[in-house]
Amino acid sequence: MNKENEALDVFDKDAVAVNNLTSPEHSRNFDVLYDIPVSVSALLGRATMQISQVLKLGKGDIVELDKKIGDPIDILVNNKFLARGEVVVIDEKKIGIIMTEVSKRN
């Protein structure tokens, strides 16, 4: 079996698992969980600095991150990695993230 077929096979199994969890029987069991708030974050990048450098930061200073424009952004839920995405502009007023890759959960 080639890698493409393996990927499709895994995708099909994941789709079946999701369909099973979203069935009406399971839906009733999980209804109580749907209203629990979670924190969703988009990690644009990271920087390592000495405390002395952080204390010198002021308005207008630039902190260089470890990512470049166009690099994938990590999407975290409750500080746990969920997916990767790309930054997009919404209605020329806001920014958002398009999810391009979702983590496989074991």
Side-chain angles (χ1 to χ4, degrees):
M1 181 180 284
N2 66 28
K3 289 187 188 261
E4 189 174 290
N5 288 341
E6 288 175 16
L8 289 174
D9 187 44
V10 169
F11 177 77
D12 289 342
K13 288 177 185 172
D14 288 347
V16 168
V18 168
N19 286 335
N20 287 340
L21 288 176
T22 57
S23 69
E25 306 86 51
H26 280 85
S27 177
R28 284 189 297 270
N29 295 334
F30 287 107
D31 281 348
V32 70
L33 300 176
Y34 292 145
D35 291 330
I36 297 173
V38 294
S39 172
V40 179
S41 306
L43 184 60
L44 297 176
R46 296 179 188 268
T48 301
M49 302 173 77
Q50 296 175 346
I51 291 176
S52 61
Q53 293 172 304
V54 173
L55 293 174
K56 291 178 186 174
L57 288 174
K59 184 176 181 177
D61 288 342
I62 296 173
V63 176
E64 187 175 334
L65 303 176
D66 62 349
K67 294 206 178 199
K68 297 179 179 111
I69 293 175
D71 281 353
I73 303 300
D74 290 343
I75 300 167
L76 311 174
V77 174
N78 286 345
N79 294 319
K80 303 234 186 251
F81 177 78
L82 170 71
R84 287 204 169 78
E86 295 177 6
V87 177
V88 294
V89 177
I90 303 168
D91 296 330
E92 299 179 15
K93 298 177 187 176
K94 296 182 180 181
I95 61 170
I97 306 291
I98 291 180
M99 292 181 21
T100 57
E101 175 186 339
V102 178
S103 170
K104 289 183 183 178
R105 291 172 236 164
N106 296 332

